[in-house]
Structure formats: structure tokens, C-alpha cells
Amino acid sequence: QVRLVESGGGLVQAGDSLRLTCTASGRAFNTYTMGWFRQAPGKDREFVTAIIWNTDETYYIDSVKGRFSISRDNTKNTVLLQMDNLQPEDTAVYYCAAGWQSNLGTMRNTMSHKNWGQGTPVTVSS
């Protein structure tokens, strides 16, 4: 099982960019599909994006397509989330998730994940 630590959040203005980093400890990082979720105040945690472990295919929810980009570096056990043109509706705590050899369907299901990091808060002011 991997331990996940998120960083990089902050307070920005609409239109700004942020890059979030998730660092994983544990073995065989390259066998994990990695993803990001977010939880806005008063709302359920939602899937945002994932990168599949064996194909590097990436998936995004419609509201972030063209603005967010996920990538991974298996040599550093890290997954990055580049967020451009941030909007107030992107305000949330962002969480990294790992699914061992997971497909997209399993990965995007919040109930699939038991091992969450502490999250990193992103606040976008208008």
C-alpha cells in the first residue's frame, strides 16, 4: 500500500495557475493508476482526473478539460496536476489517490479508495 502526500495548493486569483504534487511512498509505484479528487466546502468528494498505470492514458472531468493536466514521474514516485486558468468553482481541497492496476471505472469511484492523504487546499478568488 502506498502513502500519499499532497502539496502545492494555495490562494490564487481567477485565471492564475497552480501545480499540485503528490509524492507516494512504497513499492512498485508504476503499477498504480494515479488520480486526483477534490472536495469543495459542503460537497461530496469528486473525481477530477486520472492517469492509467500501464498506458499513461489520461482522463478528465468535463469542467477541467483543457485547463488541467495530469502527469507522472515513475522515477520520483510523483504525480503532478498542472492547473491553468483556475476559476472560483475550482476551490476545494485536492486529494491524491492510488489504485493498484486500476482501470478508470474503479479509479473514479470514491468508494474504491481507503488510503487518502491529508489533501492540499486550493482557493481561487474572483
Side-chain angles (χ1 to χ4, degrees):
Q1 198 171 24
V2 294
R3 178 174 176 268
L4 306 170
V5 178
E6 304 94 338
S7 62
L11 171 63
V12 298
Q13 294 186 327
D16 287 348
S17 298
L18 278 175
R19 187 174 72 174
L20 307 183
T21 300
C22 173
T23 302
S25 61
R27 299 164 61 178
F29 176 76
N30 61 336
T31 64
Y32 285 82
T33 290
M34 300 301 297
W36 289 91
F37 287 70
R38 66 186 180 185
Q39 188 165 16
K43 295 189 176 181
D44 292 336
R45 193 167 301 187
E46 69 168 348
F47 169 80
V48 177
T49 180
I51 183 166
I52 305 301
W53 70 281
N54 58 339
T55 63
D56 280 348
E57 288 179 280
T58 57
Y59 299 90
Y60 303 89
I61 57 174
D62 287 344
S63 61
V64 307
K65 282 181 182 177
R67 301 189 299 119
F68 288 16
S69 177
I70 187 171
S71 61
R72 66 190 297 160
D73 185 339
N74 290 338
T75 66
K76 297 180 180 179
N77 281 19
T78 57
V79 60
L80 304 178
L81 181 61
Q82 178 66 40
M83 305 187 295
D84 297 324
N85 190 22
L86 283 160
Q87 299 300 313
E89 52 267 32
D90 297 316
T91 294
V93 178
Y94 283 72
Y95 297 89
C96 181
W100 186 72
Q101 296 188 350
S102 291
N103 58 27
L104 177 63
T106 299
M107 192 67 192
R108 68 187 306 157
N109 184 350
T110 306
M111 298 301 292
S112 297
H113 305 287
K114 306 293 187 292
N115 184 32
W116 296 99
Q118 84 288 350
T120 186
V122 173
T123 303
V124 185
S125 62
S126 58

